[in-house]
Amino acid sequence: MKMVFPGINQVFDCENGEEVWSLVIENQNLFYGILSDIRGQIEGIEGKVVLSEKNNLVSVAKTVELLIQFVPFEINQKQLITKVISKLGQIAVDEMHYGRTMELLGEIESYFTELAFELTGNIEFTKLGAEGLLKAAGVQFCDDYEQLGEKIIDYMELVLEYDREKLFIFVNLRSYISDAQMKEFLETALARGYQMLLLESCEHPLLPREKRYIVDADLCEIW
C-alpha cells in the first residue's frame, strides 16, 4: 500500500518487504493535523490523507490500523473478539459439530428452565444459542507477554487472520521499545510480510531495516 500525506511531498510505499518507512514530523501542527485526519477518516469523516493499493484508492477507515496507545496495549480489541465469536459460532453449527452443539444447548435450556421454576412468571430464554453462550463465556486471547514488541506482532497476526490485510501505523512506538527490541520487531514483521509505517515526533537512532524521512520544525523535508 502507498500513502500520501497533505503537506508532505514524499509518497510512502509500504509494499516493499525489505524496509520500513519511518516518518519523523517535528512540526507539532503538522503532526497533529495528520493524526487528526487519519483518525477522522477511521471514524467516517472525509480527510486529505490518501491510501492506495495497486494504483487503486482504498478506504483509510477499512484498511488502516492506527496504533497510538501502548500503555496498556490492549490485544483483546472488541472488533477482533466479535469476529472470533462469530467464527466459533459458525464452527459450532457446521456438519462436524452441529449434533453435539444442539445436544448441549438442549441440556442447558432444560437446566435453565428448571431454575426458572423457582421464580414467579413464565420465563423464556430467547437468546440461547451457540454465539450467545460464547459471548457469555468471556472469549479472549491470552495476554501474557514479557515484551511489548512480541505482543504487537501477535496482534498484527490476529488482525490479518480475523479481519483483513491492513497498513499498521505506529505513533511514537520508538518511545516504548528499546532499539535492540525494535530491531527484532522490524525483522519479524518484515519476515511475515506485514505492511507498516512508523510515525514519530522526534528522531531515534536509525535501525538497519528503517528508511527515514524527516519533516523538521520549519517544514523542511529531509531524507
Side-chain angles (χ1 to χ4, degrees):
M1 283 174 258
K2 298 178 181 179
M3 181 162 270
V4 178
F5 299 101
I8 299 177
N9 294 319
Q10 178 65 37
V11 176
F12 296 89
D13 185 354
C14 302
E15 296 176 3
N16 178 8
E18 299 298 321
E19 296 177 300
V20 175
W21 271 109
S22 69
L23 172 59
V24 179
I25 303 177
E26 298 176 345
N27 183 284
Q28 291 94 334
N29 289 333
L30 181 61
F31 187 80
Y32 173 76
I34 285 176
L35 283 179
S36 297
D37 188 299
I38 297 171
R39 173 57 67 185
Q41 290 195 51
I42 291 174
E43 295 176 353
I45 303 171
E46 291 188 5
K48 297 180 179 179
V49 172
V50 176
L51 183 65
S52 65
E53 185 173 19
K54 297 179 180 179
N55 297 321
N56 295 313
L57 294 179
V58 295
S59 168
V60 170
K62 295 180 180 179
T63 317
V64 168
E65 188 82 8
L66 183 65
L67 300 173
I68 298 177
Q69 180 174 311
F70 301 105
V71 181
F73 181 76
E74 180 56 67
I75 195 171
N76 286 294
Q77 298 286 345
K78 181 179 179 180
Q79 69 273 16
L80 282 182
I81 298 301
T82 298
K83 291 180 183 296
V84 170
I85 290 173
S86 177
K87 286 186 178 292
L88 286 171
Q90 294 171 16
I91 294 171
V93 295
D94 66 15
E95 184 177 354
M96 181 180 297
H97 302 92
Y98 181 82
R100 178 60 173 155
T101 298
M102 293 301 104
E103 179 183 347
L104 289 172
L105 288 175
E107 292 177 4
I108 293 171
E109 184 175 12
S110 295
Y111 178 61
F112 284 178
T113 301
E114 290 179 18
L115 296 178
F117 282 145
E118 303 293 329
L119 302 177
T120 301
N122 187 13
I123 299 173
E124 296 180 339
F125 304 96
T126 59
K127 295 186 179 180
L128 185 59
E131 285 200 22
L133 288 176
L134 287 166
K135 290 178 182 178
V139 175
Q140 65 178 20
F141 299 107
C142 178
D143 195 0
D144 183 17
Y145 294 87
E146 293 184 0
Q147 294 185 3
L148 175 60
E150 294 177 353
K151 189 174 184 179
I152 295 175
I153 287 290
D154 279 2
Y155 176 76
M156 296 167 78
E157 182 178 0
L158 293 171
V159 169
L160 268 65
E161 173 67 24
Y162 293 105
D163 193 350
R164 58 176 295 169
E165 183 176 2
K166 289 192 174 184
L167 172 62
F168 297 89
I169 299 180
F170 300 99
V171 180
N172 285 330
L173 178 60
R174 296 290 301 272
S175 297
Y176 299 89
I177 298 181
S178 70
D179 294 341
Q181 291 179 9
M182 192 68 191
K183 179 177 179 294
E184 183 178 351
F185 170 80
L186 294 183
E187 294 283 353
T188 303
L190 287 171
R192 297 188 182 187
Y194 301 152
Q195 297 190 56
M196 52 191 170
L197 173 71
L198 304 178
L199 185 57
E200 300 284 335
S201 57
C202 62
E203 283 194 79
H204 294 271
L206 188 68
L207 299 174
R209 304 290 291 275
E210 177 187 354
K211 184 164 56 174
R212 180 172 296 174
Y213 196 82
I214 302 172
V215 182
D216 71 12
D218 297 320
L219 300 178
C220 295
E221 301 184 28
I222 308 165
W223 273 92

